[in-house]
Amino acid sequence: MALLEVNQLTKIYEGKVARTALDHLQFSVEEGEFVGIMGPSGSGKTTLLNVVATIDEPTAGSVSLRGHDPHALNKEEMALFRRRELGFVFQQFNLLDTLTVEENIALPLLLDGIPVQEAEQRLQQVMQKLSLSANEGQFPYELSGGQMQRTAIARAIIHHPALLLADEPTGNLDSKSAGDVMSLISALNAEERTTVLMATHDAVAASYCSRVIFVKDGKFYNEIYKGDSRQSFFQSIIDMLSLLGGDIRDLSFVRP
Ligand SMILES: Nc1ncnc2c1ncn2[C@@H]1O[C@H](COP(=O)(O)OP(=O)(O)OP(=O)(O)O)[C@@H](O)[C@H]1O
Ligand SMILES: [Mg+2]
């Protein structure tokens, strides 16, 4: 059974003008995969992640995680599902300004009632893994963008989620920090077998994935798998993006 199944997923935002953000989107993700989602601005990438995350409701179709539909849960169960099974990383980091690095990272464990001693142990492990040990007492405003995003990733994975969802995680980073963040996510995927679903405009970031799914107008357009080399995968991604059309910022001409 696939870890994640997206079945004919449709999302229409009603309003003065109804917008179809997702249109019978269909794909699945196996346990341990690292899947990128690419497509022009407005093609439904964020909507997809939000529906998978139960932040948003589908209009039609369904999502299934390990065979269960998280949208069928009641409110409390849904909150637990998000807290236990999912990790989120956003473009804007979304750290809490008044908490230190270690408090931000440990927050999901404390909310979940994990004993302090166990939380402390996991905190030290994850901070070491993400090279944040020297920053533990600092506040977000005292960090670089890369350090902020590593803190956000630490917070997203400290509870060993079944699925890590990332929406443009490198969108606010310079290319060096973006490379560090991508190496890190790909190491987490390889070493801990954390399944990752990541939306990105950045072809270099996407070249770290094991597969990239392209969406257009909320529909599945195509997918490509990484072969032996990240360099040639990068080139295939660029070629697919130019076929796909869309805005020029999709075309990153920086070599990986
Ligand atoms: N809350 C909302 N209310 C109404 N329309 C929305 C809402 N969120 C998204 N949309 C519309 O749904 C479509 C898909 O938006 P979405 O944010 O998923 O695109 P995206 O692929 O993430 O774009 P980008 O690359 O710019 O982040 C767009 O037409 C957008 O205007
Ligand atoms: Mg988006």
Side-chain angles (χ1 to χ4, degrees):
M1 187 202 301
L3 177 79
L4 171 70
E5 280 172 20
V6 169
N7 305 310
Q8 298 293 315
L9 194 64
T10 297
K11 174 70 187 182
I12 300 169
Y13 288 107
E14 301 294 352
K16 275 200 187 119
V17 188
R19 279 174 192 280
T20 303
L22 297 174
D23 190 359
H24 298 86
L25 187 64
Q26 175 94 26
F27 68 90
S28 59
V29 175
E30 299 299 322
E31 188 112 38
E33 269 197 292
F34 181 2
V35 175
I37 303 286
M38 297 193 89
S41 184
S43 58
K45 303 180 295 296
T46 297
T47 304
L48 168 66
L49 294 181
N50 286 345
V51 174
V52 170
T54 66
I55 293 168
D56 220 336
E57 284 285 310
T59 306
S62 66
V63 165
S64 137
L65 208 85
R66 294 203 171 118
H68 299 284
D69 179 355
H71 292 277
L73 301 171
N74 68 34
K75 234 177 151 184
E76 257 168 57
E77 293 168 330
M78 212 181 257
L80 261 187
F81 160 79
R82 276 191 221 128
R83 213 152 72 206
R84 300 227 166 116
E85 305 289 337
L86 302 181
F88 302 93
V89 179
F90 304 91
Q91 181 173 352
Q92 315 288 352
F93 317 133
N94 292 10
L95 298 173
L96 295 173
D97 297 336
T98 54
L99 299 185
T100 62
V101 165
E102 62 178 353
E103 290 163 347
N104 264 286
I105 299 172
L107 195 61
L109 297 186
L110 301 178
L111 287 176
D112 215 13
I114 306 281
V116 173
Q117 212 173 351
E118 190 187 332
E120 180 63 28
Q121 203 176 359
R122 283 212 235 163
L123 180 65
Q124 295 307 329
Q125 276 172 0
V126 82
M127 283 197 303
Q128 195 164 10
K129 190 160 195 95
L130 279 80
S131 314
L132 285 165
S133 302
N135 307 100
E136 60 178 21
Q138 287 180 285
F139 290 93
Y141 70 88
E142 299 174 304
L143 302 175
S144 71
Q147 289 165 340
M148 283 194 238
Q149 195 56 301
R150 280 188 279 123
T151 303
I153 293 170
R155 180 185 56 186
I157 59 156
I158 194 163
H159 57 300
H160 299 301
L163 180 62
L164 178 65
L165 299 168
D167 194 2
E168 312 274 1
T170 60
N172 276 325
L173 301 178
D174 60 81
S175 61
K176 160 81 170 67
S177 305
D180 292 347
V181 160
M182 289 318 301
S183 305
L184 197 86
I185 295 178
S186 106
L188 288 169
N189 168 252
E191 290 159 21
E192 322 243 331
R193 289 194 39 88
T194 306
T195 309
V196 185
L197 187 62
M198 173 184 80
T200 186
H201 276 103
D202 177 354
V204 179
S207 70
Y208 286 82
C209 297
S210 46
R211 169 165 57 123
V212 176
I213 294 173
F214 296 84
V215 291
K216 185 175 190 177
D217 303 329
K219 297 184 187 74
F220 181 95
Y221 179 79
N222 212 330
E223 64 182 353
I224 43 179
Y225 283 85
K226 171 144 72 196
D228 312 327
S229 115
R230 191 156 72 80
Q231 181 65 54
S232 61
F233 192 39
F234 171 80
Q235 193 53 54
S236 316
I237 291 168
I238 291 289
D239 294 345
M240 189 61 76
L241 288 174
S242 47
L243 264 179
L244 189 59
D247 54 69
I248 193 70
R249 73 194 167 107
D250 289 340
L251 297 172
S252 168
F253 294 104
V254 187
R255 298 277 144 187

